[in-house]
Amino acid sequence: MVFHILGVVIILLVSASPSGRADPAPVQYSAINCRKHTAVLTDFGAVGDGKTLNTKAFETAVANLSQFAADGGAQLIVPAGKWLTGSFNLTSHFTLFLHKDAVILGSQNMEDWPLVAPLPSFGTAADGSTGARHASLLFGANLTDVVITGNNGTIDGQGAKWWDDFKNKKLKDARPFLVEIQSTDQLQISNVTFTNSPMWNVHPVYCSNVVIQGVTILAPVEVPNTDGINPDSCTNIRIEDCYIASGDDCIAVKSGIDQYGIKVGKPTKQLAIRRSAVVALGSEMSGGIQDVRIEDVTAINCQSGIRIKTAVGRGGYVKDIFARRMTMSGMEKVFWMSGAYKSHADGGFDPNALPVVHNINYRDVVAQNVTVSAILDGLEKAHFTGICISNVTLNLGPAARELQWNCTNVSGTTSRVTPKPCDELPEKAGDCPFPEDKLPIDDVVLKSCSTA
């Protein structure tokens, strides 16, 4: 219900749809919390024609709904249509729900994506740009209880112009992400399709108690830095049932880079990844990465299965990593660890800050059409230790290299692995461990909610 009083728009929200408004049919969905109040984006003057800029409508909607944070929270329904917008902020105790035929379109006018400062744990932009960075399409910071969900509506960054300008070195400032949520407790992102992001797709950073599930992410494979899901300096995270096709890492676990990440000192820990895509750990891992549990991965035509990447100057650690039940095909490298990653935030890193990579466990892996079984390349002054690989069958493809296991500055054991591993990983009977206890995030049970 909308009232105009002396030029001021006042929106009255009710749990049931007010008479005379053509709301979408109610939809049941699952969320960490349901909402007492409901509004539809069109209540705020939005036009879903794919041409009208709706940034102001989104901003007004969120501002109005924020007043209900202490009264059961509120949800904003994005109905069917194409809703063009620039960057806008979310609020606490808030749900953004996308109808199955709703498409949020990122504006192609770069001025609609304002500039923001680099993250403290990165020092510079994530793609190495020396300027500022453009704000993500959906942004939030210092919030509590935020849900981005739907019945598989779409958020389309329309990133082609950004990709072309980046390729042709026309950008002074870094490309934006589709979603970046900072310093937030209780975050859910589910049942939404993300496509054509200018850069990374989903970036929770400095967050806790995060649930990401049922997400589809689509990016052209030839476009760099279009990572799928990047949990960064976060604690207690669950990523499940996600489909990701990306031009870079599908899931990349991070915690800041070099001296900046060391100074902030926020690790990513207690992370469960299930029934989703392949995973990279690093290279930005200077705050530490610990207790990551990866299960039931399915991958086709990927550069690597599980990749650990770090460098001299990173400091930090990657430790207590567990992966099991991986099924892959068309793999360039199945296991890949590298201590020689070349990128740095700037020249101010400490060459004596060496990363620790320890207690890395992979088991129950089957891969077809493999080119290289493993490249495990530690550092001369910081060997990668405690590597365990068991019950692995890698079937080589027609392009398979003669040297299948290339191991340097590493140590550990293997059991029942084919092809035969390198001498640095001798045979030892028994399976690699996988924790049997639950992570705290597994105690989070989603509630049954409605858009009505």
Side-chain angles (χ1 to χ4, degrees), residues 199-263:
M199 196 174 154
W200 298 351
N201 282 269
V202 177
H203 184 221
V205 57
Y206 317 142
C207 292
S208 57
N209 301 308
V210 178
V211 175
I212 302 175
Q213 66 181 43
V215 164
T216 299
I217 296 176
L218 306 173
V221 296
E222 68 274 10
V223 177
N225 310 122
T226 52
D227 295 15
I229 302 169
N230 289 4
D232 190 346
S233 294
C234 292
T235 300
N236 207 26
I237 317 108
R238 188 170 81 206
I239 300 173
E240 294 180 323
D241 303 304
C242 295
Y243 176 86
I244 304 172
S246 169
D248 210 304
D249 297 322
C250 291
I251 299 172
V253 185
K254 301 179 182 293
S255 64
I257 187 170
D258 296 347
Q259 70 271 30
Y260 302 104
I262 293 171
K263 181 178 180 180

Side-chain angles (χ1 to χ4, degrees), residues 25-30 97 150-151 448-452:
V27 175
Q28 301 297 314
Y29 67 96
S30 299
F97 184 94
N151 51 350
S448 180
C449 305
S450 174
T451 59

Side-chain angles (χ1 to χ4, degrees), residues 251-303:
I251 299 172
V253 185
K254 301 179 182 293
S255 64
I257 187 170
D258 296 347
Q259 70 271 30
Y260 302 104
I262 293 171
K263 181 178 180 180
V264 170
K266 286 183 177 290
T268 290
K269 60 183 181 179
Q270 296 178 321
L271 166 60
I273 301 172
R274 303 184 181 112
R275 301 178 300 278
S276 294
V278 292
V279 179
L281 305 162
S283 75
E284 302 93 334
M285 40 62 67
S286 299
I289 297 172
Q290 185 174 18
D291 195 1
V292 178
R293 307 176 186 191
I294 304 163
E295 299 180 81
D296 302 308
V297 169
T298 300
I300 300 173
N301 298 333
C302 293
Q303 191 178 42

Side-chain angles (χ1 to χ4, degrees), residues 164-437:
D164 291 343
D165 285 355
F166 177 76
K167 179 180 178 180
N168 295 315
K169 303 186 184 303
K170 292 182 179 180
L171 293 178
K172 175 185 175 184
D173 303 298
R175 292 168 288 162
F177 310 148
L178 282 187
V179 177
E180 180 175 270
I181 307 296
Q182 297 181 16
S183 305
T184 291
D185 181 53
Q186 301 178 55
L187 169 64
Q188 174 187 336
I189 303 173
S190 63
N191 300 105
V192 174
T193 293
F194 297 94
T195 188
N196 298 319
S197 178
M199 196 174 154
W200 298 351
N201 282 269
V202 177
H203 184 221
V205 57
Y206 317 142
C207 292
S208 57
N209 301 308
V210 178
V211 175
I212 302 175
Q213 66 181 43
V215 164
T216 299
I217 296 176
L218 306 173
V221 296
E222 68 274 10
V223 177
N225 310 122
T226 52
D227 295 15
I229 302 169
N230 289 4
D232 190 346
S233 294
C234 292
T235 300
N236 207 26
I237 317 108
R238 188 170 81 206
I239 300 173
E240 294 180 323
D241 303 304
C242 295
Y243 176 86
I244 304 172
S246 169
D248 210 304
D249 297 322
C250 291
I251 299 172
V253 185
K254 301 179 182 293
S255 64
I257 187 170
D258 296 347
Q259 70 271 30
Y260 302 104
I262 293 171
K263 181 178 180 180
V264 170
K266 286 183 177 290
T268 290
K269 60 183 181 179
Q270 296 178 321
L271 166 60
I273 301 172
R274 303 184 181 112
R275 301 178 300 278
S276 294
V278 292
V279 179
L281 305 162
S283 75
E284 302 93 334
M285 40 62 67
S286 299
I289 297 172
Q290 185 174 18
D291 195 1
V292 178
R293 307 176 186 191
I294 304 163
E295 299 180 81
D296 302 308
V297 169
T298 300
I300 300 173
N301 298 333
C302 293
Q303 191 178 42
S304 62
I306 304 291
R307 183 180 181 186
I308 296 175
K309 43 186 176 177
T310 184
V312 170
R314 287 290 195 269
Y317 52 83
V318 177
K319 60 184 180 181
D320 305 334
I321 310 300
F322 307 91
R324 67 180 176 183
R325 298 196 299 265
M326 301 176 63
T327 303
M328 300 175 284
S329 179
M331 303 303 296
E332 183 178 328
K333 307 172 188 72
V334 176
F335 306 119
W336 192 8
M337 304 181 191
S338 175
Y341 209 73
K342 299 299 182 184
S343 68
H344 291 279
D346 53 41
F349 67 91
D350 179 1
N352 294 313
L354 301 178
V356 172
V357 177
H358 177 70
N359 193 24
I360 313 299
N361 302 275
Y362 305 141
R363 57 181 284 184
D364 309 330
V365 178
V366 176
Q368 308 293 331
N369 192 17
V370 171
T371 301
V372 176
S373 297
I375 296 179
L376 310 178
D377 184 17
L379 292 166
E380 184 177 355
K381 294 183 179 180
H383 288 200
F384 297 174
T385 61
I387 299 169
C388 181
I389 304 174
S390 68
N391 191 28
V392 172
T393 300
L394 309 179
N395 297 300
L396 305 184
R401 297 181 185 174
E402 183 176 352
L403 180 61
Q404 278 298 304
W405 289 76
N406 189 345
C407 304
T408 307
N409 300 320
V410 298
S411 62
T413 61
T414 56
S415 177
R416 308 186 319 281
V417 175
T418 303
K420 185 180 183 301
C422 53
D423 293 341
E424 289 83 352
L425 304 177
E427 178 80 15
K428 182 180 179 181
D431 281 323
C432 304
F434 194 97
E436 297 301 325
D437 63 315

